[in-house]
Amino acid sequence: MNIKKSIAELVGNTPLVELTNFEEKHNLKAKIIGKLEYFNPSGSVKDRAALAMIEDAEAKGLIKEGSTIVDSTSGNTGIALATIAHAKKMEFIPFLEPGVSIERRQIYHAFGLDVYEFEDIPGLDDLSNGLVLEDLINGLEEYSEENGYFYINQTINQVNQEAHYKTTGPEIWRDTDGQVDIFVAMGGTAGTLVGCGRYLREKNPDIQIIGVQPHEDSRPEGKNFTGHIIDGVLPLGGVDKKLIPPIILNNLDNGFRFDEIIDVKAEEAYETARELTRTDGIFLGTSAASALTAAKRVAERPENAGKNIVVVFADNGMKYLSTDLYK
């Protein structure tokens, strides 16, 4: 019988789907192929990193049954960590960044978790000038040490990007028969972007790796912030180095580099998300819709006619029904 013993065994091997109706509507000559990461058991790409980081810590003797794990999260990583932790008889405490949707908070309560805000982290009570990751890391290290918890630290944990180097990247290569010309993804911790980017470039040095980041107007610290955000992501370039995900900076000598970074406004992503539900029946979250918005721009370039563009769809729209995304 093909019966799994744990939900943790269901992580990975998500499908690829070409957006044929979307391509036809926009007369695109390139193929846009979505990696549907919401097929993972907790509903997002973050299951991969959560499983890999927890199993790595188990193997090193840092956690075991009954341990409590701590991390910061925009929502999806925390839900993934709660899912895998509970499957392994552990507990999880999330510290949520500003702007987390109501649905995600309700999921945490369903898991029976104590939920904290970034402002509850020692030394992190003022985010008006943007998030300095070093301050976040130092604060959570202090909190975890004082309480005897394990800070898993997705922000700098190299197992995060290795999970995608070992699973997501190979799946894309396998399921396209190696016919990948352009890879597009957003970055929160940037584990998906870096891990997949490294693997795919090793397989084909000519593959283009395109990162997608929120336009300045869609960042809370931006001078002309519109009030609309792209949930759970960070800028990848063009900002102070201390605001860039450390996993990017730590892998520049490890086979990773961008060919391009594209800015997307939240309002553009919202429009794309709504459109795709009508053209192809695919229901995306904000970061997935942002990545697709960027991929469409790339597909419209004459030099990309006939090329395969693979885009990571990190999650679906179910956790965003209370936001402006689908209103």
Side-chain angles (χ1 to χ4, degrees):
M1 294 185 293
N2 184 20
I3 300 173
K4 307 300 182 186
K5 297 293 186 181
S6 168
I7 199 170
E9 297 178 45
L10 302 177
V11 175
N13 290 306
T14 58
L16 292 176
V17 62
E18 183 183 350
L19 309 184
T20 54
N21 296 341
F22 186 83
E23 294 167 357
E24 181 181 357
K25 178 178 179 180
H26 294 284
N27 195 30
L28 300 177
K29 304 305 180 184
K31 292 182 178 180
I32 298 180
I33 301 164
K35 179 74 165 160
L36 303 186
E37 285 297 294
Y38 55 79
F39 274 61
N40 281 303
S42 86
S44 84
V45 67
K46 298 298 187 178
D47 283 7
R48 296 178 185 268
L51 177 63
M53 291 187 297
I54 287 176
E55 291 190 338
D56 176 71
E58 282 183 301
K60 292 175 179 175
L62 300 173
I63 55 175
K64 59 183 179 180
E65 185 176 316
S67 293
T68 296
I69 297 167
V70 171
D71 210 352
S72 58
T73 175
S74 66
N76 278 337
T77 303
I79 292 168
L81 286 168
T83 299
I84 304 302
H86 283 191
K88 292 178 173 287
K89 298 181 180 179
M90 301 177 191
E91 292 299 329
F92 174 64
I93 297 176
F95 283 81
L96 304 186
E97 73 173 39
V100 171
S101 68
I102 293 171
E103 291 83 358
R104 295 185 185 195
R105 291 179 181 276
Q106 290 173 330
I107 291 171
Y108 287 125
H109 292 308
F111 273 94
L113 305 183
D114 293 325
V115 179
Y116 298 93
E117 312 299 323
F118 269 22
E119 289 81 0
D120 296 320
I121 299 172
L124 210 70
D125 53 355
D126 182 8
L127 298 175
S128 59
N129 294 318
L131 173 65
V132 178
L133 291 173
E134 184 179 357
D135 294 341
L136 181 147
I137 291 169
N138 290 339
L140 284 180
E141 284 179 346
E142 177 184 334
Y143 171 82
S144 299
E145 288 175 6
E146 288 179 353
N147 292 279
Y149 301 149
F150 176 68
Y151 175 30
I152 205 161
N153 199 352
Q154 60 165 320
T155 305
I156 64 171
N157 193 329
Q158 286 299 318
V159 177
N160 181 342
Q161 63 89 14
E162 286 290 342
H164 298 284
Y165 179 86
K166 293 177 179 178
T167 67
T168 322
E171 287 172 23
I172 291 170
W173 187 259
R174 177 196 70 202
D175 291 344
T176 60
D177 290 333
Q179 303 302 306
V180 187
D181 300 294
I182 302 169
F183 175 74
V184 180
M186 294 205 80
T189 59
T192 306
L193 190 55
V194 171
C196 288
R198 286 181 54 228
Y199 179 85
L200 293 172
R201 199 181 296 285
E202 283 183 11
K203 301 300 289 187
N204 178 4
D206 294 327
I207 284 178
Q208 295 181 53
I209 308 300
I210 297 179
V212 184
Q213 66 182 9
H215 188 280
E216 184 181 7
D217 294 352
S218 299
R219 303 176 201 163
E221 69 276 12
K223 293 180 180 178
N224 299 309
F225 179 49
T226 63
H228 293 134
I229 65 169
I230 300 171
D231 191 74
V233 295
L234 294 171
L236 307 174
V239 295
D240 192 300
K241 190 174 180 180
K242 66 184 179 182
L243 300 176
I244 294 176
I247 286 177
I248 291 177
L249 301 176
N250 294 338
N251 282 277
L252 295 178
D253 297 325
N254 193 27
F256 177 77
R257 63 176 172 80
F258 291 113
D259 291 284
E260 184 179 358
I261 298 174
I262 295 177
D263 285 18
V264 171
K265 292 185 178 182
E267 292 82 0
E268 296 176 277
Y270 295 177
E271 183 177 343
T272 299
R274 295 168 187 146
E275 180 182 23
L276 193 66
T277 61
R278 296 189 291 270
T279 60
D280 292 72
I282 297 174
F283 188 44
L284 297 182
T286 51
S287 67
S290 300
L292 175 56
T293 302
K296 176 176 174 285
R297 292 185 201 169
V298 174
E300 289 170 336
R301 298 171 183 171
E303 66 270 22
N304 290 330
K307 293 184 178 180
N308 289 332
I309 304 170
V310 174
V311 190
V312 174
F313 292 162
D315 68 356
N316 66 17
M318 296 303 293
K319 305 186 188 94
Y320 305 90
L321 293 175
S322 65
T323 72
D324 290 336
L325 176 59
Y326 288 107
K327 286 186 179 177

